[in-house]
Amino acid sequence: MPHEQQSSESSSSQGRLTREAALEGYRRMVRIRRFEEEAMRRATAGEFSGMHSSSGQEAAIVGACLALRDDDYITGTHRSHGHPIGKGADLKPLMAELYGKATGICRGRGGSMHLADRKVGIIGESAIVGGGIPLATGAGLSIQVRGSDQVSLCFFGDGAANQGTFAESLNLAAIWKLPVIFFCENNLYAISTPVVKSHGQPDVAKRAGGFGIPGVIVDGQVLSEVYEATAAAVARARSGAGPTLIEAKTYRYDEHCLGLQVPIAYRTAEELAAYRSQKDPLSLHRAELARYGVNAGDVADIEKKVAAEVAEAVSVARESPFPDPAEVYDYLFSNPIHYPPDSGR
Amino acid sequence: MSLPQHLKVEAYRRMLRIRRFEEEGTRLFKEGQIPGAYHGSIGQEAAIVGACLALKDDDAMTGTHRSHGHPIGKGADLKALMAELMGKESGICKGRGGSMHLADSSVGIISESAIVGGGIPLATGVGLSAKVRRTQQVCLCFFGDGAVNQGTFHESLNMGSLWQLPVIYFCENNGYAIVTSLASSHGQPSIVARAQAYGMPGVAVDGQDVTAVYDATSEATARARRGAGPTLIEAKTYRYDEHNVGLLVPGKPYRSPAEVEEYRTRRDPIVLFRQYLMADGFTEAQLSAVESEVAAAVSEAIRFAHESPLPSPEKLFEYMYSDSPAVSVK
């Protein structure tokens, strides 16, 4: 597999996650996986248009989110269904948003790339590659100015690491010692462009040295490793010592987005099969759960509850109304403009 | 010390040409004979000339807002540069560019631009062009410590490294982006430490020592020509004047008079190199001859600029597009 990495430390590090947190981590990973699988089926059936699936990247997402408090901020990307779920969001408004329904988390105006659930601290999800990095940095500055002890965690991909916003944001955060965790989900491919064809050297975390901040590489398929690295970065940020760049080496199972036909063989079927069979984050974590004394019945119980939760989310989404066309101009501005001018609204 | 014997006097001549050109330009600017803004290179001559001397005549360069020295360092004629400062038709950009656009293409300068960090992607593009056309050219990209914090730096160095382009990224680190010190604007103080992020060599060099700069740039140029990719060079240098002539910086001083004095008296690149040349066996008469020759060349440039006409208003719309639109000036 292209990500050559050791997860041998994971066995000695599991003590850092409590049994309760390890179970919650598994529950959240299953919620992401089942949500994405069901959403892919529904979108394929034509119930709503496109999406970017997070399947395969659950440990990176949940390991990072588990290290945060409820009032900490996160920013997302185009591939961000998993981020609110990882932070603990209710599935119903997320699924309804995919369907463009009025009950959606952005009232059906945002769709798949804008599952910005503020209740769990998400200040923005945006399809602009690298666009969330300065936003998370600004949130870090806000925290510092207000004297709060929150932190801001910024998710982005390997492609975004080559945007200028990445360098500008990391430098500012480093100078001002902002409480930001720059969290790269390196899934090896920016759509179909491999890291080795787009990066001067393959480790995103090595760029941290240029800004004088720590850079940490973790196995993004191992929940406990991601959790530990993020918890250390969060502690560092809360202590006022400044930002950390974390690179989670992970993998996406589906194509870049639903329905995308990539005419070039940018990755092999063997590589994909190897990740699915040997590096699946859910399978790896189930094995760890056994060491916590969690039995098969507990795991099955989580799976069953999550399945019901996802089914209910789909049902709510389907039954919810679309936004009223008369309200199309609502939620654009805090002081709405009225258009057409004679609309009387 | 690998600066070849035949380049030693030339290095002295070019540094002196920059110094005298800038001194006279500053005086003329203060007298109101040069419009716009004036960013002098005094103090940074060794960084500029040491880098340029490592290039061949057909190698390319990009400049910045502080770029009078770059064409001079590459060997440009002074007359067309001085005329450009005065906005004359005989200027290197026909008087349309002014101080921040002394882009003398006859010495390989493809662009000078006041957009901080704007030259870095242009130089990277030149490197790509050289690679695609399979020429043996390299591109030397000058920029300052402030530009390093622009996204263009990051994006360009990554691509330069990825595609192993023949580019020398040359930072004239003069310690201050206008009034903002390096310490208050960079996450850590070493600019060359950023090179490892892109998998390219980073070399820090004393920018007041023309021979050290020449050595570092020669090595980077050789590396680029053999297809081994770009190098990031950081020349630690110093500007004597304010960011631009006449700029009044209010409030607490951003640098101490003692610091400026230290550079002027102990770290002056021209004084240091003159001492080296004397120790190396050059005579007072040889160096005085160079000094007289340079003074005469600068005087001649000023006379030429003064005597040249301003552009004709009817030609206002020329040189904007390769096919000029038919616009008449009333």
Side-chain angles (χ1 to χ4, degrees):
Chain A
M1 276 172 278
H3 286 316
E4 293 299 336
Q5 57 203 352
Q6 281 295 329
S7 58
S8 56
E9 288 176 16
S10 60
S11 58
S12 64
S13 61
Q14 352 166 332
R16 307 280 284 277
L17 261 183
T18 63
R19 182 181 186 276
E20 188 190 14
L23 262 179
E24 178 62 17
Y26 186 68
R27 191 178 76 88
R28 292 191 191 185
M29 289 201 292
V30 175
R31 289 175 96 222
I32 295 173
R33 178 70 58 90
R34 300 295 167 253
F35 182 95
E36 295 290 51
E37 287 173 345
E38 184 62 12
M40 288 286 275
R41 276 192 291 271
R42 297 297 113 225
T44 305
E47 294 185 31
F48 60 86
S49 59
M51 61 171 276
H52 304 77
S53 162
S54 301
S55 287
Q57 305 185 196
E58 294 89 347
I61 297 165
V62 174
C65 288
L66 274 182
L68 300 177
R69 292 195 318 227
D70 288 350
D71 67 340
D72 289 330
Y73 298 128
I74 64 178
T75 60
T77 67
H78 57 286
R79 190 181 311 287
S80 258
H81 299 171
H83 300 144
I85 303 175
K87 193 91 189 320
D90 183 14
L91 299 186
K92 294 190 288 294
L94 303 185
M95 191 64 86
E97 188 63 34
L98 297 188
Y99 277 77
K101 297 299 183 75
T103 52
I105 195 67
C106 288
R107 306 203 190 247
R109 269 75 170 176
S112 165
M113 290 186 276
H114 301 91
L115 300 190
D117 188 346
R118 292 182 55 191
K119 287 196 294 295
V120 296
I122 300 191
I123 60 164
E125 295 195 346
S126 161
I128 297 171
V129 173
I133 312 180
L135 297 182
T137 307
L141 180 60
S142 156
I143 291 166
Q144 189 181 68
V145 167
R146 289 182 289 109
S148 147
D149 72 340
Q150 294 161 286
V151 302
S152 169
L153 186 141
C154 175
F155 286 110
F156 58 94
D158 42 290
N162 288 336
Q163 291 290 330
T165 51
F166 169 86
E168 295 173 346
S169 300
L170 265 72
N171 187 55
L172 283 174
I175 307 161
W176 295 334
K177 296 198 181 303
L178 301 182
V180 183
I181 296 95
F182 296 101
F183 192 96
C184 180
E185 292 172 76
N186 177 357
N187 67 16
L188 280 170
Y189 302 97
I191 307 186
S192 57
T193 306
V195 163
V196 292
K197 284 193 182 173
S198 55
H199 290 235
Q201 55 78 28
D203 294 323
V204 173
K206 279 191 189 156
R207 302 191 177 186
F211 308 102
I213 66 174
V216 183
I217 297 175
V218 292
D219 184 341
Q221 305 307 89
V222 179
L223 182 97
S224 57
E225 272 197 36
V226 177
Y227 170 80
E228 277 180 30
T230 314
V234 168
R236 185 177 136 80
R238 284 203 216 286
S239 74
T244 301
L245 172 61
I246 297 174
E247 175 185 7
K249 306 269 190 191
T250 184
Y251 201 79
R252 96 174 119 70
Y253 290 171
D254 296 309
E255 280 306 329
H256 166 71
C257 61
L258 178 72
L260 182 70
Q261 305 271 352
V262 182
I264 52 168
Y266 69 95
R267 61 181 186 179
T268 63
E270 291 73 30
E271 177 184 290
L272 177 56
Y275 271 95
R276 282 186 185 274
S277 62
Q278 295 160 41
K279 296 290 289 179
D280 181 74
L282 276 66
S283 303
L284 293 175
H285 193 58
R286 261 199 309 275
E288 281 207 28
L289 284 178
R291 290 195 282 274
Y292 278 98
V294 175
N295 62 42
D298 296 333
V299 171
D301 188 47
I302 287 175
E303 304 265 2
K304 199 171 137 193
K305 281 180 177 158
V306 167
E309 212 185 338
V310 171
E312 192 199 357
V314 170
S315 152
V316 166
R318 281 176 171 159
E319 288 161 14
S320 294
F322 281 109
D324 180 348
E327 295 175 357
V328 72
Y329 293 102
D330 287 356
Y331 314 121
L332 287 165
F333 300 95
S334 52
N335 296 310
I337 54 166
H338 299 303
Y339 188 86
D342 59 357
S343 63
R345 295 177 44 81
Chain B
M1 161 82 63
S2 61
L3 189 64
Q5 197 65 23
H6 73 279
L7 286 180
K8 285 177 180 171
V9 169
E10 187 58 23
Y12 187 62
R13 176 183 291 114
R14 290 193 192 185
M15 286 201 289
L16 212 53
R17 276 161 72 88
I18 296 173
R19 177 69 58 93
R20 298 292 169 255
F21 183 92
E22 294 287 45
E23 286 173 345
E24 285 299 287
T26 302
R27 179 180 64 76
L28 293 164
F29 181 83
K30 286 177 175 170
E31 290 172 11
Q33 298 190 53
I34 292 172
Y38 195 103
H39 304 80
S41 301
I42 295 177
Q44 305 185 196
E45 295 90 345
I48 297 165
V49 172
C52 289
L53 279 179
L55 300 180
K56 294 199 302 209
D57 286 349
D58 69 339
D59 286 332
M61 292 193 343
T62 60
T64 67
H65 58 287
R66 190 181 310 289
S67 257
H68 303 164
H70 299 144
I72 303 176
K74 190 90 190 312
D77 182 46
L78 299 185
K79 293 195 289 294
L81 302 185
M82 189 60 84
E84 187 63 33
L85 293 187
M86 294 192 192
K88 299 300 182 73
E89 181 72 26
S90 58
I92 195 69
C93 287
K94 313 249 182 211
R96 270 74 169 175
S99 163
M100 289 184 271
H101 301 91
L102 300 190
D104 187 345
S105 58
S106 71
V107 295
I109 299 191
I110 61 153
S111 164
E112 296 196 346
S113 161
I115 297 170
V116 173
I120 312 178
L122 297 181
T124 306
V126 173
L128 181 58
S129 161
K131 183 169 180 170
V132 167
R133 290 181 295 112
R134 298 173 190 277
T135 72
Q136 283 293 300
Q137 291 163 292
V138 304
C139 186
L140 173 69
C141 175
F142 285 109
F143 53 90
D145 42 293
V148 169
N149 289 333
Q150 291 292 328
T152 51
F153 171 85
H154 174 67
E155 296 173 346
S156 299
L157 268 71
N158 186 54
M159 290 180 129
S161 172
L162 180 71
W163 295 335
Q164 300 282 283
L165 302 181
V167 183
I168 295 104
Y169 297 101
F170 192 96
C171 180
E172 291 173 77
N173 175 4
N174 65 16
Y176 301 95
I178 306 186
V179 295
T180 305
S181 71
L182 196 77
S184 60
S185 57
H186 289 238
Q188 53 77 30
S190 166
I191 285 165
V192 289
R194 301 198 184 190
Q196 65 158 4
Y198 313 104
M200 73 169 79
V203 183
V205 64
D206 179 355
Q208 305 308 89
D209 179 350
V210 70
T211 62
V213 176
Y214 174 82
D215 287 350
T217 315
S218 293
E219 196 175 330
T221 304
R223 186 169 185 274
R225 283 202 218 285
R226 69 170 183 266
T231 301
L232 173 62
I233 297 175
E234 175 187 3
K236 297 191 191 272
T237 184
Y238 203 76
R239 92 173 123 72
Y240 294 173
D241 296 319
E242 283 305 331
H243 167 70
N244 59 311
V245 176
L247 181 72
L248 290 172
V249 181
K252 190 164 158 267
Y254 69 95
R255 61 180 185 178
S256 68
E259 180 183 287
V260 182
E261 196 55 24
E262 167 75 10
Y263 272 92
R264 281 185 185 274
T265 55
R266 293 168 184 275
R267 307 278 300 127
D268 185 84
I270 295 174
V271 171
L272 291 174
F273 192 55
R274 198 179 199 283
Q275 287 165 357
Y276 164 79
L277 290 177
M278 292 296 287
D280 198 44
F282 287 86
T283 66
E284 183 66 38
Q286 282 175 302
L287 300 182
S288 293
V290 172
E291 286 152 15
S292 303
E293 174 209 316
V294 168
V298 172
S299 295
E300 169 64 13
I302 295 169
R303 192 191 56 75
F304 173 81
H306 273 144
E307 289 172 2
S308 294
L310 288 168
S312 158
E314 294 86 66
K315 294 183 177 172
L316 182 61
F317 291 97
E318 291 186 3
Y319 315 121
M320 297 180 79
Y321 301 95
S322 51
D323 296 315
S324 282
V327 183
S328 63
V329 183
K330 300 272 185 324

